[in-house]
Amino acid sequence: MSTMSFAYAGLIDGMSTVFAQQTIPPCQPPTAGEYLLLVVSPTADNQKQLRSALPPELKTITCKYLNETVTRIGGFNKIDDANRWARYVSNIVGLSAIITTRPTTPDVQPQQQAQLQPQAQLQQPQQTVYNPQALGEGYAVLVDYYNRPELVNSVQQVVGGNVGFVSYGQRPYLLAVYTTNQTEAYNTLQKLNNGGFVASIVDSRKVILLRSTVRL
């Protein structure tokens, strides 16, 4: 093969790699009652290392979530199983993971069943002044409210306290709980799931607090 042929082949390979990087699909949401593990893995090395550390029966898919490249691991029916694998990934591979779920209640709105899409801003009075600040180390339980501010009261009833307003991945969420207690965070996630809410547990250091208490 000539030098030009080698150069041409290398160019095609390079173009294919770039094209593949640009066509990572958005993550599919969990099925009703499923706990989904999303492991932040932006590089090919991260993804390879993660797959080598997981058993073959765990199906992994590389996809986009909140503009981040993650490895999607699904099929967990219990929060304890998802939590166990999240700790395993953190301890063995050193990658952070997000756990999300979808309620099994029949009255889930159609938009909650669609692919993960950007949300509209929570309706707030015009005189509201935000004082954005990053949360500290711990766990944040976030709730998708799908431009339905009336959900604030319902979330407050489930968690038994005030609900905050935050930004995560440049998207707005209701903050159900911010805690350093892992058990409290996962118990809250399960309560919200049982109550019909779409909720996630994330690393609180990546969450920006906009309002500590939301009032309608």
Side-chain angles (χ1 to χ4, degrees), residues 103-113 148 193-197:
T104 57
T105 51
D107 58 345
V108 177
Q109 297 298 318
Q111 62 265 34
Q112 293 177 325
Q113 299 180 7
R148 296 170 58 198
N193 181 42
N194 293 338
F197 298 98

Side-chain angles (χ1 to χ4, degrees), residues 16 22 40 50 100 120 182 192:
S16 299
Q22 293 175 343
V40 180
L50 177 61
T100 186
Q182 188 180 60
L192 290 165

Side-chain angles (χ1 to χ4, degrees), residues 100-160:
T100 186
T101 185
R102 200 175 85 190
T104 57
T105 51
D107 58 345
V108 177
Q109 297 298 318
Q111 62 265 34
Q112 293 177 325
Q113 299 180 7
Q115 288 187 351
L116 304 170
Q117 297 290 342
Q119 306 167 10
Q121 292 289 336
L122 181 65
Q123 297 174 3
Q124 295 289 335
Q126 292 183 355
Q127 66 270 23
T128 297
V129 178
Y130 291 128
N131 182 26
Q133 54 183 310
L135 295 179
E137 185 173 353
Y139 307 90
V141 181
L142 310 182
V143 178
D144 289 334
Y145 64 92
Y146 295 94
N147 199 27
R148 296 170 58 198
E150 66 273 13
L151 288 182
V152 170
N153 292 332
S154 300
V155 175
Q156 286 176 337
Q157 292 176 4
V158 173
V159 301

Side-chain angles (χ1 to χ4, degrees), residues 128-208:
T128 297
V129 178
Y130 291 128
N131 182 26
Q133 54 183 310
L135 295 179
E137 185 173 353
Y139 307 90
V141 181
L142 310 182
V143 178
D144 289 334
Y145 64 92
Y146 295 94
N147 199 27
R148 296 170 58 198
E150 66 273 13
L151 288 182
V152 170
N153 292 332
S154 300
V155 175
Q156 286 176 337
Q157 292 176 4
V158 173
V159 301
N162 292 327
V163 172
F165 182 47
V166 300
S167 174
Y168 177 76
Q170 299 182 342
R171 292 172 57 192
Y173 290 89
L174 299 179
L175 174 64
V177 166
Y178 161 50
T179 178
T180 56
N181 187 315
Q182 188 180 60
T183 300
E184 179 185 0
Y186 284 102
N187 287 342
T188 301
L189 178 67
Q190 196 157 26
K191 287 181 182 178
L192 290 165
N193 181 42
N194 293 338
F197 298 98
V198 178
S200 305
I201 291 181
V202 303
D203 183 347
S204 56
R205 292 171 297 182
K206 298 182 179 180
V207 176
I208 302 298

